[in-house]
Amino acid sequence: MDLSGLVVQLLNGLAGASSLFLVGAGLSLIFGVTRIVNFAHGSFYMLGVYIAYTLVSRLGAGAWFWPSLLLAAIAAGAVGALVEVLLLRRVYRAPELLQLLATFALMLVIQDATLWLWGPEDLLGPRAPGLAGAVTILGRRFPTYDLFLIVVGPLVLGLLWLLLRRTRWGTLVRAATQDREMLGALGVNQAWLFTAVFALGTMLAGLGGALQLPREPASLGLDLLTIGDAFVVVVVGGMGSIPGAYVAALLIAEIKAVCIGIGTLDVAGLSLSFSKLTLVVEFVVMAVVLVARPWGLFGRPQALTRHAGAVEAPLRRAEGLYRVAAAVLLLVLLAWPVATAGSPYLTVLAIDLLTAALFAASLHFIVGPGGLHSFGHAAYFGLGAYGAALAVRALGLPMELALVVAPFVAAAAALLFGWFCVRLSGVYLAMLTLAFAQIVWSIVFQWDDLTGGSNGLTGVWPAPWLADTRRYYYLTLAFVVLGVLLIRRALYAPFGYALRAGRDSALRADAIGIDVKRVQWAAFVIAALFAGLAGALYAFSKGSISPDSLGVGRSVDGLVMVLLGGVQTLAGPLVGAVTYTWLQDAVARNTEYWRALLGAIILLLVLVFPQGIAGFAGQLFDRRREG
């Protein structure tokens, strides 16, 4: 690559950094004050693009173009304020993962509301008046509008610095990031301060989206694409640090730009494609930063506070009606293929429910008793699936042996990743698990010769004696029941009590001789083992596997299952997995706007049953028994 090409790519990186910074600064500001891990933040970026398109289309692309972008940002901030008042005020004291569930449901609702208002087609906005041309830099043409974006980032950073450092409101915001309780004791109206902060944060996200109108079309996938990059920027820079967000945005955008500029490079006869690294480079940067500096470049350990929620009762073995209910459920599952013989689809759906239950149970093992937040558990589900598929296709192993080998492929990856992950906690731990998962996804997505790349692998069928769906159902049922019982046994063993002790008080656990990190590391590997088994069963049930099985979406689905059922009960992940998977299937088949309906149901459950479905049912049963 010549010098002029490198300069142009670096300038492209600066322009991209401004957009990343606007979104990341808003997310960092919101988290610093409210401690909300806002999964719906990318939705406000998407709303900014769509609203800007509508205003420019209605008011004209002339004199009203620039006011339309500002109005779109203000409208996004207004929607954010409304969301904070109606929804988020009710979950401020909830555990972080429950907040994540609520904002995930909100993202689903906003996505379908956008689909209903603007339709499924991408909408391309006009060029910016006055900045539609290009300038020549070292003999290459560079868009004038991108030069404008380069200036926007530092300008907004300066304005935010003045707002936070030179105004009384900024002083209150900075005080809230340090000690919200003391701020309330001094008579400050925290509710309206939080509303103002959330409105400003979402307005910044909306502005970031609106400014992209001349560069990219408004599309329904912008929310998920944006929230991943925003999380990376905030975590790399340090949660709550606005300057950190800007430095992180610059770092990530410039590394991406250099990778694109280099393209393909021949080294010692090998052709290395640096351009493909753009799919994962931000997650590699995040992983490196968190391993070297666990609180981000500009973050501080004391910036994080966590609400643990209700105190859990000690574990107790199932008695009386609980055992009867479990026995009845097992009998129903055994009779299911016979009772639904006229509808093979129901048998297939039951297999999906069983694999989802095992996946959710494996995630609950580290999220609930272990207290280890994971946003990347799908990596082990996918590695188990690909491990089984490759064992059959590439190694020629029989399907039965592949089912045994595949979980250990996932466990081997967890052995490596877990060593780094258990040294962090809270949001930083969750984001490092996400980083490792995205790295694995990128390898699978691009390794065409081995994994089939984006097309995945097909022809992964069970052994001939399992060709009948009902027989495969019973095999899946046997493995899932065995897996759940082994997970349950581990929780009642001394290992399980040591795991819970490390979660509840690492200092006390360490004082009585428990190696907390080693126990958590082992739990990480065990959870991955059973997630890999679920993935292997899933692969053979579908006959194929694709990179989507390792994606962020499946990891989030797993968290939703665990939280929907209830983190503080062993039956919670099973109930949540069955409920969520069935809702997805039933709602998606009956309405085009299934995401909004599903999100509304999840929001209702979060607000009415914050302890989860199984937790609520357990409380009712205990009250009646005591009464």
Side-chain angles (χ1 to χ4, degrees):
M1 179 179 58
D2 58 12
L3 177 61
S4 61
L6 177 61
V7 170
V8 168
Q9 288 301 330
L10 291 177
L11 289 174
N12 279 326
L14 288 175
S18 288
S19 299
L20 274 178
F21 167 66
L22 289 174
V23 183
L27 183 59
S28 186
L29 187 65
I30 289 171
F31 180 84
V33 175
T34 68
R35 299 300 191 267
I36 287 282
V37 183
N38 184 17
F39 202 88
H41 196 68
S43 300
F44 295 98
Y45 175 92
M46 180 179 69
L47 283 177
V49 184
Y50 274 101
I51 295 173
Y53 174 85
T54 299
L55 291 175
V56 170
S57 300
R58 297 285 178 86
L59 301 177
W64 278 97
F65 180 86
W66 298 106
S68 296
L69 301 190
L70 292 177
L71 288 173
I74 294 172
V79 174
L82 187 64
V83 165
E84 194 276 340
V85 171
L86 297 179
L87 172 63
L88 296 183
R89 283 188 183 180
R90 291 161 174 76
V91 296
Y92 278 141
R93 296 293 175 179
E96 289 171 354
L97 287 178
L98 197 63
Q99 297 170 354
L100 173 71
L101 180 60
T103 56
F104 169 74
L106 175 64
M107 183 196 72
L108 295 178
V109 173
I110 293 177
Q111 191 175 74
D112 266 5
T114 306
L115 173 63
W116 178 68
L117 289 170
W118 286 283
E121 301 296 328
D122 292 354
L123 305 176
L124 185 61
R127 291 176 178 266
L131 297 176
V135 296
T136 302
I137 300 177
L138 297 178
R140 292 177 179 261
R141 303 288 287 172
F142 188 78
T144 308
Y145 187 76
D146 285 6
L147 289 176
F148 165 74
L149 289 181
I150 291 173
V151 177
V152 168
L155 178 62
V156 173
L157 175 62
L159 292 175
L160 286 175
W161 186 87
L162 290 174
L163 178 65
L164 296 176
R165 296 287 176 176
R166 293 291 186 265
T167 65
R168 181 178 182 275
W169 185 83
T171 302
L172 294 178
V173 170
R174 288 186 289 114
T177 63
Q178 299 298 320
D179 194 331
R180 292 185 296 175
E181 285 71 20
M182 181 60 69
L183 193 67
L186 293 175
V188 176
N189 190 328
Q190 293 186 66
W192 289 113
L193 179 65
F194 287 7
T195 301
V197 168
F198 200 87
L200 176 59
T202 52
M203 187 177 73
L204 287 172
L207 178 61
L211 288 173
Q212 292 302 304
L213 183 64
R215 300 182 80 215
E216 64 178 332
S219 64
L220 294 173
L222 285 176
D223 50 358
L224 281 177
L225 289 174
T226 304
I227 190 59
D229 290 340
F231 272 136
V232 171
V233 166
V234 171
V235 170
V236 170
M239 299 294 282
S241 172
I242 303 299
Y246 185 71
V247 172
L250 277 178
L251 178 65
I252 292 168
E254 291 297 354
I255 292 177
K256 276 189 171 184
V258 170
C259 288
I260 294 173
I262 293 175
T264 302
L265 189 65
D266 292 328
V267 179
L270 296 176
S271 180
L272 301 178
S273 177
F274 282 85
S275 59
K276 290 184 177 181
L277 289 177
T278 55
L279 292 173
V280 73
V281 66
E282 64 263 42
F283 296 100
V284 174
V285 171
M286 181 168 68
V288 171
V289 169
L290 290 182
V291 168
R293 188 175 175 82
W295 303 103
L297 296 175
F298 292 81
R300 294 180 298 174
Q302 63 266 31
L304 282 176
T305 59
R306 179 175 180 271
H307 303 292
V311 177
E312 290 187 31
L315 284 174
R316 61 186 182 188
R317 298 186 180 277
E319 298 176 356
L321 290 178
Y322 285 107
R323 292 192 174 188
V324 173
V328 170
L329 175 61
L330 182 58
L331 289 175
V332 170
L333 291 174
L334 289 171
W336 184 262
V338 178
T340 60
S343 178
Y345 171 77
L346 292 178
T347 304
V348 173
L349 177 61
I351 294 173
D352 291 343
L353 295 176
L354 288 172
T355 55
L358 181 57
F359 175 57
S362 69
L363 178 58
H364 173 267
F365 184 72
I366 54 174
V367 170
L372 301 172
H373 300 173
S374 175
F375 284 5
H377 202 60
Y380 311 109
F381 179 91
L383 284 172
Y386 271 96
L390 290 172
V392 171
R393 288 180 45 125
L395 301 180
L397 297 181
M399 174 257 184
E400 296 85 352
L401 184 56
L403 273 178
V404 176
V405 171
F408 290 96
V409 175
L415 191 66
L416 173 62
F417 298 152
W419 190 87
F420 296 101
C421 290
V422 298
R423 280 152 177 77
L424 304 181
S425 61
V427 176
Y428 293 95
L429 164 64
M431 296 310 296
L432 185 57
T433 61
L434 173 63
F436 284 133
Q438 286 300 101
I439 291 170
V440 172
W441 172 85
S442 177
I443 294 172
V444 170
F445 186 81
Q446 298 181 65
W447 200 346
D448 294 338
D449 294 338
L450 182 66
T451 64
S454 59
N455 295 322
L457 297 173
T458 58
V460 187
W461 298 109
W465 66 277
L466 292 169
D468 188 332
T469 305
R470 289 174 296 181
R471 291 184 180 180
Y472 190 80
Y473 167 85
Y474 284 117
L475 177 75
T476 303
L477 177 62
F479 272 108
V480 170
V481 170
L482 177 63
V484 170
L485 290 177
L486 288 175
I487 290 173
R488 184 177 181 277
R489 179 68 187 89
L491 291 176
Y492 282 105
F495 174 83
Y497 288 100
L499 184 64
R500 283 169 57 99
R503 177 202 64 187
D504 294 337
S505 178
L507 291 177
R508 292 181 180 178
D510 184 68
I512 62 176
I514 297 175
D515 191 334
V516 175
K517 297 304 179 186
R518 187 178 294 272
V519 170
Q520 291 177 336
W521 188 17
F524 210 85
V525 175
I526 292 171
L529 181 76
F530 289 105
L533 176 59
L537 292 168
Y538 177 84
F540 286 117
S541 71
K542 299 301 180 184
S544 63
I545 193 68
S546 72
D548 289 343
S549 62
L550 303 98
V552 178
R554 188 171 294 275
S555 291
V556 174
D557 285 347
L559 281 172
V560 172
M561 294 173 192
V562 172
L563 296 169
L564 199 57
V567 177
Q568 297 181 351
T569 62
L570 300 184
L574 309 181
V575 174
V578 172
T579 303
Y580 183 68
T581 307
W582 176 80
L583 278 175
Q584 274 190 319
D585 178 78
V587 174
R589 285 189 291 110
N590 289 287
T591 175
E592 180 184 1
Y593 303 106
W594 63 271
R595 293 178 188 85
L597 182 57
L598 181 63
I601 293 172
I602 294 174
L603 282 175
L604 179 65
L605 291 173
V606 167
L607 296 176
V608 179
F609 309 120
Q611 66 275 61
I613 299 172
F616 177 75
Q619 285 184 357
L620 286 181
F621 177 78
D622 290 341
R623 288 173 186 170
R624 289 189 177 183
R625 184 173 60 178
E626 292 172 0

